Amino acid sequence: QVQLKETGPGLVQPTQTLSITCTVSGFSLTSYYMQWVRQTPGKGLEWMGFIRSGGSTEYNSEFKSRLSISRDTSKNQVFLKMNSLKTEDTGVYYCARITTVGVMDAWGQGASVTVSS
Amino acid sequence: DIQMTQSPASLSASLGETVTIECLASEDIYSNLAWYQQKPGKSPQLLIYYANSLNDGVPSRFSGSGSGTQYSLKINSLQSEDVSIYFCQQNYDSPYTFGAGTKLELK
């Protein structure tokens, strides 16, 4: 059974770094691309970036300067790190599996993040 | 960036009705269009990919069509469990942009 679960801090202060872990089961990270998408009140759903099955990454240029996606295949985990957080980064952050046709066929339940002092 | 314009923003329909949601891309996306359904408090779920291919397990009352820049999602015989927000997304070119969503409610 394919499962994805995000864990994150909940509350982050402005200018600080956000770290979220996506733990997956039921499939191998070396066989699928994994993507991060966020949903914010201001901009709705936004594609943030992905990590390919081989480990290389691609980012939305909107976030490129402050976003990093990585993984630990031995732990079945994918990581999102984003620095210099602003209040506008408040939202729900999702990890999702990408199929061979480039769409997201499995999603985590989302990690709610509030950026506030 | 490719802009995805979804319409209507909200829609109210009765049980058993047929509804259609439209998505307009700012340039040709060659059918690289997916539809997602997001139920209240849940994550989005894939309904349709490549404009008209039904994802596994999705009821056949859902269908997608379109080409070029114009796409649509049709729901036949509306059921109560279809109350959701529906999003389109183009996966043709980075950044892979989403529509703003259509909120479907029961009349």
Side-chain angles (χ1 to χ4, degrees):
Chain A
Q1 184 183 3
V2 172
Q3 291 187 317
L4 300 81
K5 184 176 182 180
E6 304 91 343
T7 51
L11 178 66
V12 182
Q13 293 195 336
T15 75
Q16 297 301 300
T17 296
L18 172 65
S19 295
I20 303 177
T21 297
C22 173
T23 303
V24 310
S25 60
F27 67 98
S28 173
L29 294 178
T30 58
S31 298
Y32 287 89
Y33 289 23
M34 292 295 296
Q35 184 151 280
W36 288 94
V37 171
R38 75 176 187 178
Q39 189 167 29
T40 64
K43 292 195 172 183
L45 285 167
E46 290 182 282
W47 170 74
M48 300 184 74
F50 59 68
I51 184 164
R52 296 181 175 89
S53 52
S56 61
T57 53
E58 182 172 331
Y59 300 112
N60 186 334
S61 58
E62 170 117 355
F63 306 103
K64 190 169 187 177
S65 62
R66 58 191 187 114
L67 176 65
S68 172
I69 298 173
S70 60
R71 69 182 187 180
D72 184 336
T73 57
S74 68
K75 293 183 178 179
N76 296 318
Q77 292 179 327
V78 183
F79 310 105
L80 175 148
K81 279 187 168 43
M82 189 163 71
N83 58 34
S84 305
L85 283 196
K86 304 165 242 187
T87 55
E88 309 91 270
D89 294 316
T90 292
V92 180
Y93 289 72
Y94 296 101
C95 64
R97 187 179 79 168
I98 305 176
T99 71
T100 52
V101 296
V103 294
M104 293 168 279
D105 71 335
W107 295 61
Q109 87 281 4
S112 182
V113 174
T114 300
V115 182
S116 174
S117 54
Chain B
D1 297 2
I2 297 174
Q3 307 303 314
M4 304 300 293
T5 303
Q6 229 180 296
S7 61
S10 63
L11 182 54
S12 181
S14 301
L15 291 174
E17 255 190 76
T18 294
V19 300
T20 301
I21 298 168
E22 310 279 346
C23 193
L24 178 67
S26 60
E27 61 183 81
D28 196 330
I29 55 172
Y30 300 95
S31 296
N32 289 283
L33 189 284
W35 290 97
Y36 295 90
Q37 176 191 53
Q38 186 175 32
K39 295 188 177 183
K42 301 293 186 182
S43 56
Q45 298 297 309
L46 178 66
L47 290 175
I48 303 274
Y49 61 95
Y50 207 58
N52 59 14
S53 296
L54 205 63
N55 191 32
D56 291 344
V58 174
S60 58
R61 64 179 180 274
F62 290 90
S63 62
S65 63
S67 63
T69 62
Q70 295 184 295
Y71 299 87
S72 60
L73 172 71
K74 186 176 174 183
I75 310 172
N76 288 316
S77 189
L78 190 68
Q79 305 294 303
S80 57
E81 61 264 33
D82 300 335
V83 169
S84 301
I85 302 177
Y86 294 86
F87 297 94
C88 60
Q89 186 206 13
Q90 62 85 14
N91 59 305
Y92 173 67
D93 193 27
S94 175
Y96 305 106
T97 43
F98 290 86
T102 295
K103 186 173 185 179
L104 176 57
E105 298 175 319
L106 283 179
K107 195 179 289 181

